Amino acid sequence: MRRPAKNHGERFSTILFSSTVMASILAATYGASAASPNSRHHAKASRTAATATPAAAVAAPAAAHAATKRAIVRAPLPQNEDVAISARRRAHGTMITVGASAIARSVPGTNPLKVLAQQPGVMFQADDPQGVDTWSTQIYMHGFLQNQISTTLDDIPLGELSYRNYNGLNPIQAISSENVGRLDVSTGAGAESVASTNNLGGSIEYHSSDPKNKLGGTVAQTFGSNALYHTFIRVDSGALNHTGTKFYVSYMRNDTEKWKGGGNQFFQQANAKFVQPIGEDSKISSFFDFSQYAQFNYQDYSLDIWKHGGNYIDNYYNGKTSGYLSAIQAALGHYPASLDGISDKADAAYYDSSSASTDYFGGLTGDFRLTDRVRWKTTFYGHGEHQFNHWTNPFYPSPSGAPMFEQVKEPSIRRFGILSSVQYEIAHNHIEGGVWYENNQFVSTMWGYSQPNVVDGVIEGAMLNPVGAIRQAPFMQLYGQTTNTNTFTAFVQDTYNPLPNVALHFGFKSLLNTSRAGDGYYNTGYYGAGASATGTLTTARAFLPHISGDWHFLKHHELYFDVAENVHAYPQGQFKTIASPFAVTQAAFDYARPSLKPESDWAYAVGYRYSDHFLDATLHAYHTDFSNRLQQITSGNIVNPISTVLNVGGITMNGVDAGLTMRLFRGVSLYNSISYNHSTYDSNVSSQGVTYYTKGSQVVAYPRLMYKSSLSYSYRGFDAHIDASYMSQRNLSYTGDTKVPSYWLADFGMRYKFGNMGKYAHSLGFMQNLELDFNIYNLTNQSYVSTMGENGFPLSGDYQSFLLAAPRQFFGSVRAEF
């Protein structure tokens, strides 16, 4: 039974009335406590940037006060700080900021989202230590999965944060981690001004660093386990003329062997940014990104494979003919001894699995202060992508006679858009309104390529390129679909400061998203009777409200609240790969369409912070009511699964975080946090006449309990830290009858900054800084489950849909700045 719908309109009116009463009480009680909070918090931000641990550093953002907001508009915050004033243009107590120096403490090239995961309630998983394997990267924030979290770069939407992104790209493909100036993160209800159609539970806003004012450069080289080489080179032009024209260009290359199995993971990227100041407080800027990766994927695991095969089961590919011959034998039913005991030997290993993508991405922004009270900002952007996602399918033969063929998904994206907003400040109000339009064409195709046969142990022909484009014609098309999407959003928001230490925010967002799937192809000879889904789905919401507030009371104390209604437009994706109404057959689409509703939720958060010279303390509680949660239910083998998309109904989520950072004595800081999340399905699910008792079961893949700790020490140019975390068990099935075990994880890092080398030798004075780093990932060599659900989740029982994390890894880096 579904629960009765809540009267959200009445609830929102009550909240709005309560906030107004609260403002009146505060005005009467704290009428003249005025200006001290601003100077106090600026000093706190500066002090914490110098002393805090990476985890603690991003845990204590300051409030949104009127004077602070004006300062932010006129002078951007330093981008190398760990902590910055986080409430830009809105009162939003759930905002935190991760600065460039916090990212720099990790192994160069590390995904910034892994740094963010040091925060309470945030979980990041990947099967590689840097978190750059796009097949496996996965982040949760307070129970929300990555495709329910909006991501942007310099305001440009990056779409759904997931593998097989259909309307954007993974942030690591959009910008090198060394060029990230900061992340502004809402861990609660998100922000209506963020350009997104999937923001159910928070937002992650990337900001690229600006070119430096002085001519210079950076060269960095990292070496690590499994022959890892990470190279980063950046050249800054400095100010080229009296107007301040400046730019930078950078190149990054990351190349490593897999920690098990054959093949490497290659990634290269070029970034460029140009800034032209206009007058005292306006500018035109542009950002460009080219990225290209070719990565061999790790084979997916089930509990059965893990129990009976151990940690090192992987695909047969090894770069030699022996790997291909082993795969041919397996396709004929002759399996290696390493698979003895595994019930599904055919799916435990294939010949190969890989991902390759090329992206071109960029935007042009004009940011103009028209008057002392009015600022106008407009961005034009474009993005093109082409992917090649390979699987060897051992269940269908090639025309050559080989008992397997290469199954290649070749999706592509072409999108462009515009964002425009106006800010207006009057009296105690900071008003902003804006619009966003995007057109996106997503083409999803899947092809079959012939592999050479083997006769008397001899391979008759050339083996196919296992990554990227294949230089031969396919022998069949398996699937095809083109989806065109037009998105329009508009928002209005106002932050009102009845007192300098009180900020109240109200805003709303309107969304219109229409997707039409057509031009379909469905191979009935391979899939059986059916057709690809063709049709149109529209998500329209005229009023999605958001209200929040911050109150800095007494000297070191802050209270905040945050409430919003959000909606997730109908997602898209490749056939059988995602919980999308379009990723099914025409019959399944027609059957589900009358009852389809977009996912939506009401999210609530309240919190308290205490901050002084010796410690920071945080307490954050949240509650979310989900409606119409779409989930992908899968069974069968993972190269051609039996996949359905079901509305699993409502989900009720309650959670709480607590964090404490203690600066024990000069240079030593200790951080601890604990997070509890109780997120359960509201009803049972029926599929094919069977009822599955999911009601009351914890949602899949997210732990109920997380604990994190970090101890850091710094003295002059030296600093070191050790981080530890605990994750409780997670559900693999919707009913919770299969789970993956809990684990502890520890990392270690240290570095030394020599500063200007001229003090050691006059001839080295051109080198502004030399830095040496050493890091150990997975210090205790734990074996644990990282990513979950990459192939969907079963309603009950075991399924091949998780990945194992890397064992202990070592990294050393040298970085020079000129």
Side-chain angles (χ1 to χ4, degrees):
M1 292 290 292
R2 302 259 326 257
R3 296 186 306 171
K6 299 178 177 68
N7 188 333
H8 295 306
E10 277 186 15
R11 176 163 50 187
F12 185 77
S13 299
T14 302
I15 294 166
L16 184 58
F17 174 76
S18 301
S19 66
T20 306
V21 172
M22 176 183 174
S24 301
I25 294 173
L26 295 178
T29 307
Y30 291 90
S33 87
S36 60
N38 271 330
S39 58
R40 187 165 63 241
H41 285 283
H42 279 298
K44 177 67 178 74
S46 175
R47 182 178 70 248
T48 309
T51 62
T53 67
V58 287
H65 301 311
T68 303
K69 288 164 62 60
R70 295 189 184 99
I72 290 168
V73 168
R74 288 174 171 78
L77 289 162
Q79 299 199 31
N80 62 345
E81 292 187 353
D82 287 348
V83 175
I85 304 301
S86 61
R88 291 173 175 80
R89 302 190 305 277
R90 54 187 177 268
H92 204 264
T94 57
M95 289 287 288
I96 59 176
T97 294
V98 179
S101 58
I103 298 171
R105 287 190 178 96
S106 299
V107 176
T110 294
N111 193 325
L113 297 180
K114 185 174 181 178
V115 181
L116 173 62
Q118 295 168 340
Q119 288 307 292
V122 182
M123 180 183 73
F124 178 83
Q125 298 289 358
D127 59 13
D128 70 300
Q130 292 173 290
V132 296
D133 181 349
T134 57
W135 171 239
S136 72
T137 56
Q138 187 178 77
I139 188 168
Y140 281 80
M141 291 198 314
H142 288 154
F144 293 96
L145 181 57
Q146 57 195 16
N147 65 347
Q148 300 163 339
I149 301 166
S150 61
T151 54
T152 62
L153 170 60
D154 293 342
D155 299 331
I156 301 173
L158 299 180
E160 303 229 352
L161 180 57
S162 60
Y163 183 74
R164 303 189 185 102
N165 190 327
Y166 65 87
N167 63 349
L169 71 168
N170 194 302
I172 63 170
Q173 297 168 249
I175 185 171
S176 300
S177 62
E178 291 91 341
N179 291 330
V180 176
R182 70 176 191 274
L183 305 183
D184 290 339
V185 183
S186 165
T187 61
E192 59 270 34
S193 60
V194 176
S196 169
T197 61
N198 65 303
N199 174 25
L200 285 178
S203 61
I204 303 173
E205 299 174 66
Y206 283 71
H207 297 272
S208 61
S209 61
D210 281 338
K212 296 178 181 178
N213 290 321
K214 291 184 178 181
L215 174 66
T218 301
V219 177
Q221 181 65 55
T222 301
F223 306 92
S225 299
N226 304 302
L228 178 134
Y229 295 93
H230 177 87
T231 304
F232 178 77
I233 302 170
R234 170 168 157 166
V235 176
D236 285 81
S237 70
L240 298 175
N241 51 44
H242 71 280
T243 66
T245 305
K246 55 185 177 180
F247 69 88
Y248 68 73
V249 293
S250 71
Y251 174 75
M252 181 278 296
R253 177 188 173 101
N254 199 87
D255 195 1
T256 180
E257 299 296 319
K258 292 168 61 182
W259 59 267
K260 67 173 179 178
N264 69 331
Q265 296 190 321
F266 171 80
F267 185 29
Q268 65 177 349
Q269 189 170 49
N271 289 159
K273 186 172 183 179
F274 169 85
V275 175
Q276 175 60 65
I278 301 174
E280 293 184 359
D281 192 24
S282 298
K283 66 179 179 179
I284 295 174
S285 61
S286 63
F287 180 85
F288 173 76
D289 166 75
F290 164 78
S291 69
Q292 187 177 58
Y293 71 81
Q295 302 176 339
F296 284 85
N297 303 134
Y298 294 93
Q299 177 62 301
D300 304 292
Y301 261 58
S302 65
L303 292 172
D304 176 67
I305 295 173
W306 195 17
K307 179 180 179 180
H308 297 104
N311 297 336
Y312 287 86
I313 297 295
D314 203 45
N315 293 317
Y316 298 108
Y317 177 85
N318 60 6
K320 305 174 184 178
T321 58
S322 59
Y324 187 81
L325 294 174
S326 296
I328 289 286
Q329 287 299 307
L332 293 171
H334 310 301
Y335 302 102
S338 60
L339 302 186
D340 288 349
I342 296 174
S343 60
D344 183 7
K345 297 179 179 62
D347 288 301
Y350 305 135
Y351 170 56
D352 63 22
S353 170
S354 62
S355 303
S357 178
T358 300
D359 286 86
Y360 298 89
F361 169 81
L364 176 66
T365 299
D367 187 1
F368 306 104
R369 175 161 290 283
L370 304 181
T371 72
D372 286 343
R373 297 183 179 275
V374 180
R375 175 175 287 275
W376 174 42
K377 187 176 184 180
T378 296
T379 299
F380 299 90
Y381 67 90
H383 171 219
E385 176 183 88
H386 198 105
Q387 297 183 37
F388 297 91
N389 303 318
H390 290 237
W391 289 89
T392 300
N393 187 328
F395 306 108
Y396 194 95
S398 290
S400 65
M404 62 187 190
F405 77 98
E406 195 78 356
Q407 181 174 319
V408 183
K409 299 179 176 71
E410 299 184 22
S412 64
I413 296 171
R414 187 232 59 188
R415 65 188 181 112
F416 61 88
I418 179 174
L419 307 104
S420 188
S421 64
V422 175
Q423 300 173 40
Y424 177 59
E425 299 193 21
I426 182 172
H428 299 289
N429 296 84
H430 313 280
I431 302 168
E432 184 177 4
V435 295
W436 167 45
Y437 170 76
E438 179 181 277
N439 174 264
N440 174 46
Q441 183 183 76
F442 173 64
V443 179
S444 173
T445 58
M446 186 157 45
W447 305 87
Y449 293 86
S450 180
Q451 287 278 17
N453 198 14
V454 174
V455 177
D456 297 330
V458 178
I459 302 174
E460 296 186 324
M463 295 178 291
L464 300 181
N465 173 29
V467 290
I470 296 177
R471 298 182 183 276
Q472 72 175 46
F475 73 88
M476 69 172 174
Q477 181 176 2
L478 283 80
Y479 189 81
Q481 186 183 65
T482 298
T483 307
N484 195 279
T485 302
N486 286 287
T487 299
F488 176 81
T489 69
F491 75 92
V492 176
Q493 61 185 15
D494 178 26
T495 300
Y496 172 59
N497 295 100
L499 295 171
N501 62 331
V502 176
L504 294 174
H505 172 93
F506 172 75
F508 72 91
K509 177 180 180 178
S510 299
L511 180 147
L512 178 63
N513 175 273
T514 299
S515 295
R516 184 189 182 282
D519 300 327
Y521 177 82
Y522 181 94
N523 190 322
T524 57
Y526 180 77
Y527 289 115
S532 64
T534 300
T536 301
L537 291 175
T538 296
T539 304
R541 293 294 178 90
F543 186 72
L544 294 169
H546 179 203
I547 183 172
S548 60
D550 293 288
W551 174 30
H552 285 257
F553 66 102
L554 301 179
K555 187 176 181 181
H556 302 288
H557 304 263
E558 176 191 3
L559 287 173
Y560 60 84
F561 73 92
D562 197 8
V563 180
E565 182 185 17
N566 301 298
V567 69
H568 185 179
Y570 293 111
Q572 301 157 38
Q574 295 167 271
F575 189 48
K576 298 186 178 185
T577 63
I578 189 175
S580 166
F582 294 109
V584 296
T585 63
Q586 184 69 51
F589 178 84
D590 292 339
Y591 176 79
R593 187 174 181 178
S595 60
L596 283 177
K597 295 181 180 179
E599 292 181 310
S600 62
D601 68 25
W602 276 86
Y604 310 82
V606 295
Y608 165 79
R609 293 190 185 97
Y610 176 85
S611 206
D612 67 17
H613 183 72
F614 299 103
L615 64 87
D616 299 315
T618 64
L619 184 65
H620 178 87
Y622 56 95
H623 170 83
T624 304
D625 293 316
F626 288 98
S627 299
N628 305 304
R629 187 76 172 261
L630 293 177
Q631 298 282 287
Q632 182 189 16
I633 314 298
T634 52
S635 59
N637 71 72
I638 55 179
V639 296
N640 184 19
I642 300 170
S643 179
T644 58
V645 177
L646 295 179
N647 184 337
V648 297
I651 293 176
T652 300
M653 181 165 63
N654 294 288
V656 63
D657 303 329
L660 179 66
T661 300
M662 296 181 291
R663 287 169 281 279
L664 303 177
F665 48 88
R666 186 176 182 87
V668 176
S669 180
L670 176 64
Y671 163 79
N672 286 277
S673 74
I674 190 167
S675 304
Y676 176 79
N677 176 281
H678 186 269
S679 183
T680 59
Y681 301 102
D682 294 341
S683 57
N684 297 323
V685 173
S686 295
S687 177
Q688 299 180 344
V690 179
T691 299
Y692 294 89
Y693 296 95
T694 57
K695 183 177 181 180
S697 178
Q698 178 79 1
V699 297
V700 290
Y702 192 69
R704 282 209 167 156
L705 183 66
M706 290 189 287
Y707 170 76
K708 300 171 185 178
S709 181
S710 179
L711 177 66
S712 71
Y713 171 73
S714 62
Y715 178 74
R716 295 184 178 177
F718 174 80
D719 66 73
H721 63 90
I722 183 167
D723 305 323
S725 61
Y726 168 79
M727 302 288 166
S728 67
Q729 62 184 7
R730 292 166 281 164
N731 282 351
L732 177 61
S733 68
Y734 288 98
T735 59
D737 62 344
T738 51
K739 306 175 187 293
V740 302
S742 59
Y743 68 89
W744 280 92
L745 183 67
D747 299 330
F748 171 79
M750 64 180 181
R751 65 178 175 176
Y752 188 82
K753 292 184 176 181
F754 290 89
N756 191 297
M757 298 299 290
K759 60 188 175 184
Y760 302 101
H762 182 72
S763 60
L764 298 177
F766 67 93
M767 193 179 301
Q768 299 300 311
N769 181 44
L770 179 67
E771 178 181 320
L772 301 178
D773 296 72
F774 176 70
N775 294 82
I776 305 175
Y777 163 81
N778 195 354
L779 188 63
T780 58
N781 202 28
Q782 291 293 306
S783 173
Y784 68 96
V785 172
S786 58
T787 310
M788 295 180 66
E790 68 275 13
N791 295 312
F793 296 96
L795 282 167
S796 178
D798 193 8
Y799 191 59
Q800 191 176 350
S801 193
F802 64 79
L803 295 162
L804 297 185
R808 182 167 47 230
Q809 307 277 283
F810 299 89
F811 304 91
S813 306
V814 57
R815 173 188 173 99
E817 298 178 25
F818 305 97

